[in-house]
């Protein structure tokens, strides 16, 4: 078993999850970095960076290591996609020591890999998205108010003392702008012994606070089916949905971290 450096605390949890899985596969293969480089076509220095959390490996490198370790690469590539998205948003750029050091890191267990490595994580992207939406709505309202005021003032000056000129009212001028989430419906049905709600058929997508999309809506529908309210089925992973996920995990005997991973999906669909 290799002696790994402890990953930096500031490393994005989704990137950390991928690195931990890659380390386990490397240990399972029994290959040295030089042998791994020969088998995959990526240099030992590159693998030091990948396994030390300093840079994200290419998809091809992840797939090659998965096949060497005898694992189906599909799930690992899904983790890579989530980690790549986190890095693209600037949440995974950190500096780290070389992968090999005299400081040991205990071997990770399966629950640690799927849940504990990202326990209690909050996605900064969620707060940023809410702030951007709120700012946009405020700006549109301010512009609309200014336009109506200018129209009324100009109308009064042109009419003189004869009669006040009312500003034209149209639905576009009076209606408040709204930001609506895509509509999602819960069409729950049981197929081959599993529950599906018609929004996604994923079995292992990793969802956390701040995520949005059809997979989140699928989880929200299945939480409702299980008798736990996630709030509105709007496809947005907010605090109410996270609280519902924690309730399901506690009821199912899982690690309670508020993150939907493969084990939580299994509990939702059974």
């Amino acid at each position: 078993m290799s002696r790994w450096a402890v990953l930096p605390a500031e490393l994005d949890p989704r990137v950390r999850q991928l690195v931990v899985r890659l380390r386990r596969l490397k240990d399972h293969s029994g290959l040295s970095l030089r042998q791994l480089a020969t088998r995959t076509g990526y240099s030992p220095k590159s693998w030091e960076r990948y396994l030390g959390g300093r840079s994200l490996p290419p998809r091809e490198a992840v797939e090659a290591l998965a096949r060497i370790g005898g694992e189906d690469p599909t799930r690992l590539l899904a983790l890579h996609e989530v980690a790549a998205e986190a890095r693209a948003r600037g949440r995974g750029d950190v500096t780290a020591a070389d992968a090999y050091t005299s400081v040991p890191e205990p071997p990770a267990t399966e629950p640690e890999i799927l849940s504990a490595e990202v326990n209690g994580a909050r996605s900064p992207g969620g707060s940023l998205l809410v702030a951007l939406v709120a700012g946009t709505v405020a700006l549109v309202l301010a512009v609309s108010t200014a336009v109506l005021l200018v129209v009324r003032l100009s109308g009064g000056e042109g009419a003189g003392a004869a009669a006040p000129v009312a500003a034209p009212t149209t639905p576009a001028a009076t209606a408040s702008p709204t930001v609506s989430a895509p509509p999602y419906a819960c069409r729950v049905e049981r197929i081959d012994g599993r529950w599906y709600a018609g929004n996604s058929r994923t079995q292992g997508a990793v969802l956390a606070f701040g995520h949005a999309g059809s997979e989140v809506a699928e989880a929200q529908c299945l939480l409702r089916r299980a008798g736990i309210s996630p709030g509105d089925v709007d496809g947005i992973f907010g605090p109410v949905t996270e609280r519902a996920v924690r309730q399901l995990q506690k009821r199912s005997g899982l690690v309670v971290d508020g993150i939907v991973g493969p084990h939580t999906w299994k509990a939702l669909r059974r």
Side-chain angles (χ1 to χ4, degrees):
M1 182 71 66
S2 301
R3 299 167 68 85
W4 298 104
V6 177
L7 292 171
E10 64 269 27
L11 188 66
D12 187 279
R14 282 151 289 190
V15 179
R16 177 186 296 270
Q17 187 178 19
L18 175 65
V19 173
V20 170
R21 291 300 303 274
L22 294 177
R23 286 182 171 187
R24 289 193 65 197
L25 283 174
K26 190 268 178 191
D27 287 341
H28 181 72
S29 71
L31 300 176
S32 66
L33 286 181
R34 187 176 298 277
Q35 292 170 329
L36 187 62
T38 302
R39 295 281 297 273
T40 62
Y42 294 88
S43 69
K45 289 293 183 182
S46 296
W47 279 112
E48 282 186 15
R49 293 195 303 273
Y50 302 155
L51 299 174
R54 287 180 291 169
S55 62
L56 199 67
R59 284 176 56 89
E60 293 77 7
V62 173
E63 184 174 6
L65 181 54
R67 297 193 184 283
I68 290 172
E71 181 173 319
D72 183 356
T74 303
R75 193 163 119 189
L76 201 60
L77 289 175
L79 292 178
H80 177 272
E81 184 176 349
V82 173
E85 181 182 355
R87 274 286 172 92
R89 293 180 180 178
R91 297 196 297 269
D93 296 327
V94 299
T95 58
D98 289 342
Y100 286 98
T101 181
S102 59
V103 181
E105 181 179 30
T109 62
E110 185 68 14
E112 288 173 341
I113 290 172
L114 296 176
S115 299
E117 285 293 333
V118 289
N119 185 29
R122 288 291 186 275
S123 173
S127 300
L128 179 59
L129 177 60
V130 172
L132 288 175
V133 171
T136 301
V137 172
L139 179 60
V140 172
L141 286 172
V143 172
S144 300
T145 303
V147 170
L148 287 174
L149 181 59
V150 170
V151 170
R152 288 193 177 100
L153 290 175
S154 62
E157 292 173 358
V165 179
T169 49
T170 63
T174 58
S176 298
T178 59
V179 178
S180 59
Y184 292 105
C186 295
R187 299 179 294 275
V188 179
E189 58 180 337
R190 195 164 179 82
I191 303 174
D192 296 332
R194 293 187 179 91
W195 290 102
Y196 296 91
N199 295 300
S200 172
R201 298 181 70 86
T202 181
Q203 301 290 336
V206 179
L207 305 176
F209 186 91
H211 284 185
S214 58
E215 292 173 340
V216 175
E218 178 78 3
Q220 290 172 331
C221 288
L222 295 179
L223 283 166
R224 281 193 173 183
R225 190 210 67 79
I228 304 174
S229 175
D232 295 333
V233 180
D234 54 7
I236 299 175
F237 201 121
V240 179
T241 298
E242 183 188 47
R243 186 162 53 247
V245 171
R246 288 179 180 272
Q247 292 178 19
L248 175 79
Q249 290 171 331
K250 183 177 181 180
R251 191 172 73 184
S252 303
L254 302 175
V255 175
V256 180
D257 58 5
I259 297 172
V260 179
H263 292 301
T264 304
W265 278 116
K266 185 177 181 180
L268 285 169
R269 295 201 183 280
R270 71 185 174 198

